[in-house]
Amino acid sequence: MLKEPISITALSSISALGESLAEVWQSYNQNDHFLSEALIGEEKVWVSQLPETIKLKIKDLRHSDAKYKHLDDSVLFAIHAARKAIESAGWEKGANFGINIGSSRGTTSLFEKYHEEFLRDGKSATLSSPTTTLGNISSWVAHDLKSKGPEISHSITCSTALHAVLNAVAWIQSGMTDQFLVGGSEAPLTPFTIAQMQALKVYSREKGNYPCLAMDLDKNQNTMVLGEAAGLACLEKGVKKNALALIEGIGYATEPLEHSVSISTDAQCFQDSMKMALGNLEPSEVDAVVMHAPGTIKGDQTEFNAIQKVFCNKMPFLTTNKWKVGHTFGASGLLSLEMAVLMLNHQRPIPIPFIPYEVFPNAIEKVMVNAVGFGGNAVSILLSKR
């Protein structure tokens, strides 16, 4: 358990669900998914795209500053969401706060563009290196917000955003800073990225009402769908009056792998991360778990098995958002965190329409949020009501 709770004083995201907390909550209360078929390269596939209204704002941002013209979408997504986040938290531009924003794939569009040009011409464009570096997202956000605190970047596949939360908690608990802006940004809807997922045979070819059958343990094919998004949170030391929720516990674990994308049958990494996040708390006190559940047969089943092992006496309410908004890679953990906070604040569980539920929680006081990526890097965050 933490030495003292850490407050989430603002949440900001852009995704197919919208960009304000009110809009996102409204989207969650619809039984429809927000996935669509799009031509990526020369192939029509299921994806989760930003609404046109948000795309226009990103376009305006790109043209608002000459230096932003050549940046990747993933960087611009993060800048847009970061401005909204600090405004909501009441932080001033130029203040002393840390920034840790990561990405699984990084600047995919630019990298593919520059590499294609290199293969064709044998030369690299001048801006190819500075605009595709791993630290590109956090550094540009720090530049835009003129922040004075530490600025960190990392890529830990699909648990990237929740690893940013872990980093911030460590910094805040150490006393080195009191505020941190954390999250992830992803713009993965590119031909090469889609092709990579198809090569792993995890991408959805589902033709039914729901292209992504996340948490359906009876599905007979993998149904992962990729989405573009950015999700950020403002974290502050102690219990703040404007807190949306409190972070009570954090957990993390990595398990030995048989191969680069494997995870054990009972997801030992998730068992360890969830137990660590619980600390001395009885598992029965957790009312809900927002699962990682990417829509793959093994990914969904192994996480469910791990939850059964940890919560054996009283299973919490289980849900996920990937059936609705797709898998947004490095941003996905923060979107799950946002979903958990919304359930805490509205005191209403968000079910999956194609999953049968025996009971719903009468009250939602504590929610566990899970994320894991290739390499078995699991993270669990325990949230509670303010």
Side-chain angles (χ1 to χ4, degrees):
M1 300 298 285
L2 305 185
K3 287 188 279 187
E4 64 177 319
I6 289 175
S7 295
I8 300 172
T9 55
L11 285 165
S12 173
S13 71
I14 55 171
S15 71
L17 304 178
E19 66 169 329
S20 70
L21 285 177
E23 193 179 0
V24 171
W25 178 246
Q26 189 177 19
S27 296
Y28 274 129
N29 281 285
Q30 298 179 33
N31 281 335
D32 299 328
H33 63 77
F34 286 70
L35 311 177
S36 58
E37 285 190 291
L39 194 65
I40 307 294
E42 298 180 1
E43 188 172 1
K44 206 171 190 182
V45 293
W46 286 106
V47 294
S48 173
Q49 293 182 301
L50 297 178
E52 285 301 319
T53 51
I54 299 178
K55 285 182 179 180
L56 287 173
K57 290 180 181 180
I58 299 301
K59 185 178 178 181
D60 289 343
L61 174 60
R62 182 182 296 281
H63 293 104
S64 67
D65 189 318
K67 294 187 290 293
Y68 294 173
K69 184 180 178 183
H70 300 288
L71 297 181
D72 189 76
D73 276 350
S74 59
V75 181
L76 297 175
F77 293 172
I79 291 174
H80 179 73
R83 288 178 178 180
K84 293 194 301 134
I86 69 159
E87 181 184 5
S88 178
W91 297 0
E92 296 291 331
K93 272 194 174 187
N96 189 355
F97 56 87
I99 294 176
N100 188 174
I101 305 169
S103 181
S104 175
R105 301 288 156 171
T107 57
T108 46
S109 293
L110 282 187
F111 199 92
E112 289 177 35
K113 170 180 172 286
Y114 286 137
H115 189 249
E116 184 182 354
E117 289 175 0
F118 173 73
L119 293 177
R120 186 185 66 230
D121 304 330
K123 294 181 181 179
S124 179
T126 304
L127 292 175
S128 60
S129 176
T131 57
T132 60
T133 56
L134 178 60
N136 206 39
I137 299 177
S138 281
S139 58
W140 277 108
V141 170
H143 162 80
D144 187 74
L145 300 181
K146 298 177 173 57
S147 60
K148 304 248 182 344
E151 176 257 301
I152 308 167
S153 299
H154 66 250
S155 177
I156 311 177
T157 61
C158 307
S159 56
T160 293
L162 291 195
H163 270 283
V165 174
L166 297 183
N167 283 346
V169 169
W171 275 79
I172 292 170
Q173 289 206 121
S174 74
M176 293 176 71
T177 186
D178 290 339
Q179 299 176 326
F180 237 97
L181 175 65
V182 299
S185 183
E186 208 74 51
L189 303 184
T190 67
F192 185 50
T193 310
I194 300 285
Q196 290 175 69
M197 296 304 105
Q198 290 173 329
L200 290 169
K201 296 180 170 54
V202 296
Y203 213 82
S204 180
R205 294 176 284 112
E206 184 63 40
K207 299 297 182 185
N209 293 329
Y210 297 100
C212 178
L213 295 171
M215 234 191 85
D216 180 353
L217 302 182
D218 296 322
K219 58 180 172 288
N220 55 19
Q221 62 176 319
N222 292 318
T223 62
M224 180 191 284
V225 174
L226 289 189
E228 55 186 2
L232 301 179
C234 291
L235 306 187
E236 300 189 41
K237 181 181 180 179
V239 180
K240 301 297 181 183
K241 288 182 179 179
N242 62 331
L244 299 172
L246 302 177
I247 297 175
E248 270 195 21
I250 57 169
Y252 50 88
T254 304
E255 65 179 54
L257 301 179
E258 294 178 14
H259 58 81
S260 59
V261 296
S262 68
I263 192 167
S264 58
T265 306
D266 294 327
Q268 189 61 49
C269 57
F270 264 139
Q271 291 184 55
D272 293 343
S273 68
M274 287 188 286
K275 287 175 183 175
M276 183 178 175
L278 284 168
N280 297 322
L281 190 75
E282 284 296 320
S284 60
E285 292 190 49
V286 175
D287 302 298
V289 175
V290 178
M291 296 172 64
H292 182 73
T296 62
I297 295 171
K298 286 185 178 178
D300 294 5
Q301 184 67 61
T302 56
E303 185 180 0
F304 179 78
N305 294 347
I307 292 169
Q308 279 190 313
K309 287 280 181 79
V310 174
F311 297 92
C312 48
N313 295 323
K314 177 180 175 280
M315 283 290 280
F317 172 82
L318 303 180
T319 189
T320 182
N321 55 16
K322 291 186 180 65
W323 69 273
K324 183 183 280 280
V325 73
H327 192 351
T328 55
F329 278 160
S332 63
L334 218 293
L335 295 190
S336 295
L337 193 82
E338 179 182 61
M339 182 188 193
V341 170
L342 286 169
M343 289 198 298
L344 283 167
N345 284 332
H346 290 273
Q347 282 299 291
R348 182 173 169 182
I350 303 170
I352 302 167
F354 49 82
I355 299 296
Y357 289 90
E358 292 181 9
V359 291
F360 287 96
N362 293 323
I364 304 174
E365 303 291 332
K366 297 185 189 295
V367 181
M368 184 85 77
V369 182
N370 283 342
V372 70
F374 292 154
N377 303 295
V379 179
S380 299
I381 307 288
L382 181 64
L383 302 176
S384 65
K385 283 179 66 180
R386 180 174 61 83

